[in-house]
Amino acid sequence: MVESDRYHRQRLVGPIGEAGQVRLRAGRVLLVGCGALGTVSAELLVRAGVGRIRIVDRDVVELTNLQRQVLFDEDDAARGLPKAEAAAAKLRAINSEVAIEAVVADFSPGNAAGLAAGCDVIVDGTDNFETRYLLNDLSVSAGVPYVYGGAVATSGTVMVVLPATAGGDATWERAGCVGPCLRCVWPDVPGAGGMTCETAGVLGSVSTMVSSMQVTEAVKVLVGDWEAVDRRLRCVDGWANTWRAVEMGGARDEACVCCGQRRFEFLKGKAFSSVVSLCGRNTVQVKP
């Protein structure tokens, strides 16, 4: 397939080239969450020419979102449009070559596997650890790479999960690039009382930094450059001017509930709470 000239500068990037651009065009991304992280990630992926993006978000646009959620405007907020649909409209205007699917729904144990079907990488745009642990379970159980990201106040973190698969024959496994999952690092959901965007706010430029790092790793995954994928936990504080990369040792924890024992508690709904706080809305959602 001959790519249009819009990707010329990207094709000039050595690790991408013509072959990498073709891989991106064939790539399929599941993006869960379309807020501060998700809107930036979605736009960068669309501009890069990723072939298909499925955006899942249950929320609607509000005025307080506009400080950091780059795909929305005042009209979207005034109309209370669903974030997934408002984002999809903007993204289609940016790049009509990309197939964009907007899913206005909770991402839950009941629909997670179906929403991830056929996807090559999962990109995290969520704002709570329960959903991230569900994404982590999904990644390991389905054998799909997962790019975790989080931002609060002036700091953020990014980590890529390249899971071991049941057959042991994934391309990243053959390249010797299997690494730890999220629960190898944080075995349990962080307890109440930790900082959230509701209590500590979030600087828009920091969430943009985190999203840019996530998309860079997702692009590496989509073009299949496994050796280039960063398997460290990276931490940044945009106000304190600090960058830190935590070496993960390259090995998963065999005692890990998720990737070691393959007990997918969040995917099976056993550890998933019925009450979830909605960031920025001073509201909780109670699930039956």
Side-chain angles (χ1 to χ4, degrees):
M1 176 183 293
V2 177
E3 299 290 344
S4 64
D5 192 60
R6 72 191 304 155
Y7 307 117
H8 174 66
R9 298 295 190 279
Q10 185 166 275
R11 294 198 311 272
L12 291 175
V13 177
I16 297 178
E18 296 288 348
Q21 193 62 50
V22 170
R23 283 176 174 265
L24 287 174
R25 185 71 183 88
R28 297 157 298 181
V29 176
L30 171 63
L31 173 62
V32 180
C34 197
L37 297 177
T39 51
V40 175
S41 293
E43 181 170 347
L44 290 174
L45 289 165
V46 163
R47 291 187 184 278
V50 171
R52 179 175 293 273
I53 302 175
R54 180 175 293 148
I55 302 171
V56 184
D57 196 296
R58 66 182 170 216
D59 210 352
V60 297
V61 183
E62 294 185 322
L63 190 63
T64 58
N65 300 150
L66 305 187
Q67 166 256 344
R68 63 199 179 281
Q69 299 182 18
V70 300
L71 287 176
F72 307 133
D73 57 35
E74 292 180 354
D75 182 60
D76 298 326
R79 296 164 63 192
L81 294 179
K83 289 183 179 180
E85 292 182 352
K90 300 292 199 313
L91 294 167
R92 291 181 185 119
I94 290 170
N95 191 345
S96 61
E97 297 178 0
V98 177
I100 300 163
E101 179 184 355
V103 180
V104 182
D106 286 312
F107 187 79
S108 69
N111 63 13
L115 290 170
C119 290
D120 302 305
V121 63
I122 301 166
V123 177
D124 183 355
T126 66
D127 58 16
N128 67 87
F129 265 95
E130 281 198 341
T131 308
R132 288 167 180 148
Y133 280 34
L134 173 57
L135 290 172
N136 186 69
D137 273 8
L138 178 63
S139 167
V140 176
S141 66
V144 179
Y146 162 46
V147 186
Y148 154 74
V152 64
T154 63
S155 64
T157 53
V158 175
M159 176 179 159
V160 182
V161 175
L162 295 179
T165 63
D169 59 352
T171 53
W172 58 89
E173 288 181 285
R174 295 199 297 270
C177 295
V178 172
C181 77
L182 210 60
R183 293 195 72 178
C184 292
V185 182
W186 296 290
D188 301 304
V189 176
M195 285 201 309
T196 69
C197 64
E198 188 72 26
T199 61
V202 61
L203 189 62
S205 56
V206 170
S207 57
T208 299
M209 291 164 65
V210 170
S211 297
S212 296
M213 293 162 65
Q214 287 181 277
V215 171
T216 301
E217 298 306 317
V219 168
K220 294 176 188 177
V221 168
L222 291 169
V223 303
D225 192 351
W226 306 112
E227 296 293 339
V229 173
D230 196 337
R231 285 174 286 155
R232 302 170 297 175
L233 175 69
R234 285 182 288 168
C235 309
V236 58
D237 190 312
W239 206 264
N241 307 312
T242 58
W243 292 81
R244 187 163 56 99
V246 181
E247 296 290 345
M248 306 304 296
R252 60 193 179 96
D253 183 357
E254 294 297 334
C256 173
V257 168
C258 181
C259 67
Q261 302 176 28
R262 299 186 71 82
R263 289 166 40 204
F264 304 121
E265 298 171 336
F266 288 84
L267 188 58
K268 293 178 180 178
K270 295 179 180 179
F272 211 74
S273 173
S274 61
V275 179
V276 177
S277 175
L278 303 184
C279 183
R281 301 182 67 184
N282 196 28
T283 306
V284 295
Q285 180 181 40
V286 179
K287 302 178 182 179

